[in-house]
């Protein structure tokens, strides 16, 4: 999986979930949605994915209406179908039926061929103490980096 141009990154998901496994998925979009995504009109905030009838769908992924799209624009929050291999979908069904695991879109990007791809993660929700531990770890690393920089200049 090689990421070309990053269009959207779901930073909140990294804060709220542990990622167990990631998948690269294609997305079924209309022409005006593609143009809007390429222009940066996409948001992954509060989006999630589900397996419904053997197909993976992403919900609450907001794609802004294309300004020159007039009547061809679609509903911004409509569910979008994700494209995966059958074996991957079966694996996702098995993982999401377990307690506490969910599917979260992490990134949207253009690959080398110009296709819009979604990085989908099988995730487990973090508890409050996990989030606090991550914040403490990040703060301590930042303090260590500062002290290293100060020593270099002394």
């Amino acid at each position: 999986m090689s990421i070309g141009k990053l269009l959207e990154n779901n930073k909140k998901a990294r804060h709220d979930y542990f990622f167990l496994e990631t998948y690269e998925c294609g997305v079924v979009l209309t022409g005006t949605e593609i143009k809007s995504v390429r222009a940066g009109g996409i948001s992954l905030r509060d989006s999630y994915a589900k397996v419904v009838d053997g197909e993976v769908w992403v919900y609450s992924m907001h794609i802004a209406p294309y300004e020159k799209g007039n009547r061809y624009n679609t509903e911004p929050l409509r569910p979008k179908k994700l494209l995966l291999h059958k074996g991957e979908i079966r694996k996702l069904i098995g993982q999401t039926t377990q307690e506490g695991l969910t599917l979260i879109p992490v990134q949207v990007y253009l690959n080398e061929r110009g296709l819009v791809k979604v990085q989908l993660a099988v995730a487990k929700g973090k508890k409050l103490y996990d989030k606090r531990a991550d914040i403490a770890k990040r703060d301590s690393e930042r303090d260590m980096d500062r002290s290293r920089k100060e020593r270099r200049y002394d």
Side-chain angles (χ1 to χ4, degrees):
M1 171 181 72
S2 61
I3 296 175
K5 179 184 176 193
L6 183 64
L7 300 171
E8 176 68 14
N9 192 9
N10 193 350
K11 293 178 188 172
K12 190 169 193 239
R14 295 197 187 279
H15 178 71
D16 291 340
Y17 297 95
F18 291 116
F19 296 152
L20 306 176
E21 197 170 353
T22 60
Y23 296 91
E24 182 181 53
C25 315
V27 191
V28 177
L29 298 173
T30 64
T32 55
E33 286 177 329
I34 290 285
K35 290 183 178 202
S36 180
V37 166
R38 286 176 188 251
I42 185 167
S43 174
L44 291 177
R45 184 177 305 265
D46 298 330
S47 60
Y48 62 96
K50 276 195 213 176
V51 181
V52 179
D53 296 330
E55 296 177 337
V56 182
W57 294 84
V58 66
Y59 297 92
S60 300
M61 183 168 81
H62 185 273
I63 296 179
Y66 184 58
E67 33 190 74
K68 298 174 186 163
N70 57 41
R71 68 176 184 214
Y72 298 108
N73 279 328
T74 58
E75 178 71 27
L77 290 175
R78 76 173 180 88
K80 288 127 185 108
K81 185 176 176 181
L82 297 179
L83 304 172
L84 288 159
H85 293 284
K86 269 205 192 309
E88 291 174 329
I89 294 173
R90 282 192 213 109
K91 194 173 179 184
L92 289 177
I93 290 170
Q95 290 175 331
T96 55
T97 54
Q98 293 177 9
E99 188 63 32
L101 296 182
T102 186
L103 299 174
I104 304 292
V106 180
Q107 293 178 335
V108 177
Y109 56 91
L110 294 173
N111 69 357
E112 308 85 33
R113 292 178 28 199
L115 301 175
V116 175
K117 299 289 182 176
V118 173
Q119 185 180 19
L120 190 68
V122 177
K124 183 174 183 176
K126 286 184 182 178
K127 303 286 185 202
L128 183 60
Y129 56 84
D130 292 328
K131 293 177 189 178
R132 287 182 183 152
D134 285 347
I135 291 170
K137 181 180 174 186
R138 188 174 59 229
D139 288 345
S140 66
E141 287 175 359
R142 190 177 304 134
D143 291 341
M144 286 189 297
D145 288 343
R146 278 192 202 128
S147 65
R148 280 190 216 122
K149 282 184 180 179
E150 289 173 5
R151 281 192 203 145
R152 278 190 234 150
Y153 295 118
D154 288 343

